[in-house]
Amino acid sequence: MAHRTLPHSLRGDQRGASIVELALFMPFMVMLIVGIIDLSNGIAMQFGLNKAVNRTLELATANSVVTTKNASEVDYSYLARETARAAEVPEENVTLTKWVECDGTRQATFETMCDPGESIARYVQIEAMKSFSPTFSLGPVGETVDLRADAAVRVQ
């Protein structure tokens, strides 16, 4: 059986080669672009969550006017509602933690009063969680990614 050879005019013809290369390369380019868009959307959502938590803690420092002599009686429960509203998440996705430290030692409850002569520091911490669903769930990312933001501030 004889081998067929291409006519001399087709052997050196490069027309159409770039279209074939583009067709082979294009799926990778599209995946790269979609991946970059997904990543940037996730990062933007994370920044928004951080912003919501930090802005809410600014409220804690600005609106925590102590009306009694005991700062442990100030109600900080509004911070969870404000964080949920600002982050556009359900309120059950927001955790409010309060604690007091006497001379740097964390106490059991926020209402604890330190002994005379000890330094007192009261803190409020907000943690918020939001789920992000990438357009394509490939590899280790999975179908959803839980984004978390938390911050704490000293209120006394």
Side-chain angles (χ1 to χ4, degrees):
M1 187 169 194
H3 291 290
R4 290 189 192 234
T5 58
L6 291 173
H8 182 63
S9 62
L10 292 179
R11 272 190 237 155
D13 191 359
Q14 294 294 315
R15 293 177 297 173
S18 60
I19 253 337
V20 171
E21 290 171 0
L22 179 65
L24 292 172
F25 183 67
M26 190 55 86
F28 298 109
M29 276 303 286
V30 169
M31 283 181 31
L32 180 66
I33 291 170
V34 169
I36 289 171
I37 291 171
D38 265 353
L39 183 64
S40 62
N41 285 338
I43 290 172
M45 190 178 283
Q46 179 68 47
F47 282 148
L49 196 59
N50 286 336
K51 181 179 173 183
V53 168
N54 290 328
R55 290 277 173 102
T56 304
L57 284 180
E58 287 177 14
L59 283 177
T61 58
N63 293 339
S64 64
V65 178
V66 179
T67 55
T68 64
K69 294 191 185 242
N70 187 355
S72 68
E73 295 175 10
V74 177
D75 182 23
Y76 292 103
S77 62
Y78 70 96
L79 295 175
R81 288 187 303 276
E82 286 297 319
T83 303
R85 185 191 59 74
E88 298 175 351
V89 297
E91 198 170 331
E92 52 268 7
N93 287 12
V94 178
T95 306
L96 173 67
T97 308
K98 305 180 293 184
W99 74 91
V100 63
E101 293 180 1
C102 297
D103 279 345
T105 305
R106 191 168 180 160
Q107 304 300 308
T109 65
F110 188 70
E111 291 76 23
T112 301
M113 294 302 296
C114 296
D115 294 332
E118 288 184 325
S119 66
I120 185 169
R122 294 188 193 280
Y123 294 91
V124 176
Q125 178 182 12
I126 297 279
E127 180 182 8
M129 194 273 296
K130 193 172 193 175
S131 292
F132 169 67
S133 298
T135 305
F136 292 101
S137 56
L138 298 173
V141 175
E143 292 185 19
T144 60
V145 178
D146 289 336
L147 304 176
R148 295 186 185 277
D150 66 87
V153 66
R154 183 174 173 175
V155 292
Q156 179 191 18

